[in-house]
Amino acid sequence: SEASLVRLYRRFRDLDRNKKGYLCRTDLRQIGALAVNPLGDRIIESFFTDGSYSVDFSGFVRVLAHFRPVDDEELQDPKAPEPLNSRMNKLRFAFQLYDLDRDGKISRHEMLQVLRLMVGVQVTEEQLESITDRTVQEADEDGDGAVSFLEFVKSLEKMDIEQKMSIRILK
Amino acid sequence: MFLLLPFDSLIVNLLGISLTVLFTLLLVFIIVPAIFGVSFGIRKLYMKTLLKIFAWATLRMERGAKEKNHQLYKPYTNGIIAKDPTSLEEEIKEIRRSGSSKALDNSAEFELSDIFYFCRKGMETIMDDEVTKRFSAEELESWNLLSRTNYNFQYISLRLTVLWGLGVLIRYCFLLPLRIALAFTGISLLVVGTTVVGYLPNGRFKEFLSKHVHLMCYRICVRALTAIITYHDRKNRPRNGGICVANHTSPIDVIILASDGYYAMVGQVHGGLMGVIQRAMVKACPHIWFERSEVKDRHLVAKRLTEHVQDKSKLPILIFPEGTCINNTSVMMFKKGSFEIGATVYPVAIKYDPQFGDAFWNSSKYGMVTYLLRMMTSWAIVCSVWYLPPMTRETDEDAVQFANRVKSAIARQGGLVDLLWDGGLKREKVKDTFKEEQQKLYSKMIAGNHEDRSRS
């Protein structure tokens, strides 16, 4: 809605410290609560597509649009492109956080990396490896040792993604 | 033709005389009470009238907006997004429960879905976090006829615009010169007065004079800003040998506190006008001014402060432990330096009412001179000062805990949000230790359960 866009625009301007008109990685890293989030860096990366150094307001909003709550009353027009906050797109966004090299699969190595980010130095290498192996085994159906996007979707089919990956903006 | 000339000069003369008389009257009305510390109550009346006008103005704006069917930008104070205040563990458990088909009596080690928690939390902070919004001026509920606070600046009605124009005229042409004159008087009196007192021999008389010169000049400065201050609990005012601690919103805090009590100031030595004022003040009574190089040396700072505090004849020190200006909606982490000294701490809470003029100094946006000009062209600066009962460090507390205790007391009294974040985040990055804490919490969930499993 228009009011929410105005709010997001002011937020964009507040984050843009040097009034450059766009955000760069350092601007986002300055947010204290984001810097303590173990996946903070990955989340920041998701804003900068194709290795660019800046994100403007439309890019900013496009990423945040993934988190718009799903509106049941919206009529699904089969010919229109899928809205950004659909279930599939939300899942695709989360998949991106795992799949760094964007090859469409989460390899065992990538899974290990994400886990390492989330636990830091608190867990030993062996424990982490066994956790990774188990997870990949559970989700991997075609036995190629990696979790593809479809396998990812299937393992989460019961989850209420729409609610868990949505942020509601107050009026 | 000839008649006009003397007539002209007569008018000019009359105008000149009447203006001078007006100004002198005003100055007398304001400076004389300042010297004796009395008040006529003119400012309170002014405040009440303004409030009525503001309420009317907001009503007009809302009505106007409804007629034209515009959307009014309503400021929010509680954050943009709806947040659930649940902990990391609860959230992750709930995610797993809703996604998993297996019956879980004990949480599993790790699921692909755990990532959703961090992802969403991260996005939430990007949209709205507690710290960044503390470094910009507070948003107002109703308009106060200053274009700087109006986010809906569109033409609503003729009457409103006329009122606003009148306000601009009054503020810039009448109040501003008056205030500048007062400020000038105040500062020059301070410099001259303290230098003169400095020539007297040390003794009771010098102390007495020095105190009154200081108080008088600060009171004049207070009137120069049209600051309407309400003091609460004056019985708790700081005494000799103590440290006075307050939340920091702007450099004006110093003037506000010093006009009601006699303090020793702490600060860096500046050049220019500030330097002149600092040197003059030191002549009359001991203040603590640090050279720029000494500021970095924490032990030196602590030593000088301790020496001052232990001398009972010296005045209470005034310190702002946040280290930077915060926008008066919250109190950020107090630096522990002043709490390590071991003296009695007298906390003071200062809360400004932004309706009449927002006192927050956004140092990255405005320089000092621009800031002062903005202050002098606002309607008034209204604030409340609460003197809280003195606190001392308990035997089992360390400096950080003591600092947090004092901070909570100040936040509670002033109605401000108590944050654990460091005000230095304005310019620097956050330390990695906080990230490790989050990681610890999460790994306890995974690894801890792993141990349970291997045992069973």
Side-chain angles (χ1 to χ4, degrees), chain B residues 198-439:
Chain B
Y199 286 124
L200 294 173
N202 281 350
R204 294 271 305 273
F205 187 56
K206 181 177 182 180
E207 288 276 326
F208 176 74
L209 260 192
S210 166
K211 176 170 182 181
H212 282 275
V213 165
H214 269 107
L215 280 177
M216 179 183 84
C217 297
Y218 281 121
R219 283 199 208 113
I220 297 183
C221 288
V222 156
R223 280 163 171 79
L225 294 165
T226 322
I228 305 174
I229 313 173
T230 328
Y231 293 101
H232 302 260
D233 297 329
R234 294 180 77 197
K235 60 181 189 300
N236 286 328
R237 266 191 307 175
R239 293 192 202 122
N240 282 8
I243 301 185
C244 179
V245 151
N247 57 321
H248 199 28
T249 306
S250 87
I252 296 185
D253 291 343
V254 174
I255 302 182
I256 290 182
L257 285 180
S259 65
D260 190 48
Y262 190 30
Y263 298 102
M265 312 273 168
V266 179
Q268 252 186 21
V269 168
H270 289 282
L273 182 62
M274 278 299 296
V276 170
I277 300 179
Q278 283 176 333
R279 282 196 293 274
M281 281 169 71
V282 156
K283 290 203 183 99
C285 75
H287 295 282
I288 307 179
W289 303 121
F290 288 105
E291 299 291 331
R292 209 165 280 266
S293 49
E294 290 174 345
V295 174
K296 301 280 184 203
D297 186 352
R298 285 189 34 183
H299 290 291
L300 187 65
V301 171
K303 195 162 81 83
R304 276 184 75 175
L305 287 175
T306 327
E307 274 170 13
H308 185 109
V309 157
Q310 276 163 354
D311 184 349
K312 285 296 170 195
S313 69
K314 294 209 178 134
L315 308 160
I317 306 181
L318 183 58
I319 287 191
F320 297 103
E322 278 166 318
T324 185
C325 292
I326 313 286
N327 80 344
N328 208 237
T329 52
S330 67
V331 183
M332 294 220 182
M333 188 174 102
F334 278 2
K335 303 223 180 321
K336 62 180 187 329
S338 16
F339 298 93
E340 285 172 330
I341 299 179
T344 328
V345 169
Y346 295 90
V348 176
I350 308 179
K351 175 82 179 120
Y352 289 88
D353 186 349
Q355 272 271 8
F356 295 91
D358 195 321
F360 169 57
W361 182 28
N362 194 340
S363 54
S364 46
K365 222 171 161 193
Y366 306 110
M368 182 58 134
V369 181
T370 328
Y371 169 70
L372 281 176
L373 270 175
R374 277 170 69 96
M375 282 299 102
M376 296 210 193
T377 52
S378 316
W379 294 111
I381 314 259
V382 180
C383 64
S384 301
V385 175
W386 283 275
Y387 290 103
L388 299 167
M391 293 183 170
T392 38
R393 190 165 107 190
E394 317 260 326
T395 38
D396 56 345
E397 264 187 332
D398 70 345
V400 176
Q401 286 167 329
F402 181 39
N404 281 338
R405 194 159 60 96
V406 174
K407 178 159 68 82
S408 310
I410 293 185
R412 218 175 318 136
Q413 182 61 269
L416 307 165
V417 174
D418 185 3
L419 291 179
L420 288 171
W421 296 99
D422 185 354
L425 280 181
K426 204 180 192 176
R427 298 184 187 93
E428 297 149 10
K429 285 172 61 165
V430 93
K431 296 207 194 89
D432 282 328
T433 35
F434 294 109
K435 193 189 213 170
E436 280 170 20
E437 280 183 29
Q438 282 269 309
Q439 288 171 332

Side-chain angles (χ1 to χ4, degrees), chain B residues 8-21:
Chain B
D8 260 351
S9 63
L10 191 66
I11 289 193
V12 168
N13 270 341
L14 270 178
L15 213 61
I17 293 179
S18 55
L19 270 177
T20 325
V21 165

